Amino acid sequence: MGMRPDKIGDPSVSNPTRDGWYNPKAYAIPAPYKFGNASRNSLRAPGVAVANWSLFKNFKLTEAVKMQFRWEVFNAFNRTNLSHGVNSAIDGGDSAGKIFDVSEPMRNMQFAFRLNW
């Protein structure tokens, strides 16, 4: 279980990016045997927006045989969804406040044919 830091300034930044999601200089390590004054969940992770689309077309080949064409697109707008794993260690050196991963993969398309008989 980690200790909460002392909040000594404004942690928000004007334009949060993956290289600086919050201002780590706004926090300090509390005195020994003290619980910091930073509130729980005072740092917010980036939001997630995903658009998944699919298009299906059914074809009747014979009376008993049918074929379906499928086109599925995941993360259709190819939006970068930054991970919620923000390095929140205030004594983490140069990596404090940075995001090193994405939560959703880049755009992915798949095509398929399905045959029913």
Side-chain angles (χ1 to χ4, degrees):
M1 180 174 136
M3 292 178 32
R4 291 190 187 158
D6 281 330
K7 188 174 176 183
I8 59 173
D10 183 15
S12 61
V13 293
S14 60
N15 186 19
T17 64
R18 68 179 348 140
D19 291 325
W21 191 254
Y22 72 93
N23 178 14
K25 292 180 174 64
Y27 296 96
I29 298 173
Y33 306 107
K34 298 291 182 184
F35 196 67
N37 64 3
S39 63
R40 181 175 180 244
N41 297 330
S42 62
L43 294 175
R44 296 287 179 196
V48 175
V50 178
N52 297 328
W53 294 346
S54 62
L55 178 69
F56 294 14
K57 175 67 177 166
N58 294 313
F59 299 97
K60 189 172 187 180
L61 301 178
T62 66
E63 188 68 32
V65 180
K66 297 173 184 70
M67 183 176 68
Q68 183 180 66
F69 170 73
R70 296 176 174 216
W71 176 40
E72 298 170 327
V73 182
F74 303 98
N75 195 4
F77 297 121
N78 205 22
R79 181 180 189 272
T80 302
N81 291 300
L82 298 175
S83 175
H84 294 163
V86 178
N87 185 0
S88 59
I90 60 172
D91 59 348
D94 291 338
S95 66
K98 294 185 179 181
I99 301 174
F100 296 103
D101 200 8
V102 292
S103 62
E104 297 289 330
M106 62 183 177
R107 182 185 303 133
N108 186 7
M109 287 192 237
Q110 62 186 25
F111 299 93
F113 284 103
R114 179 178 172 180
L115 192 62
N116 295 329
W117 67 89

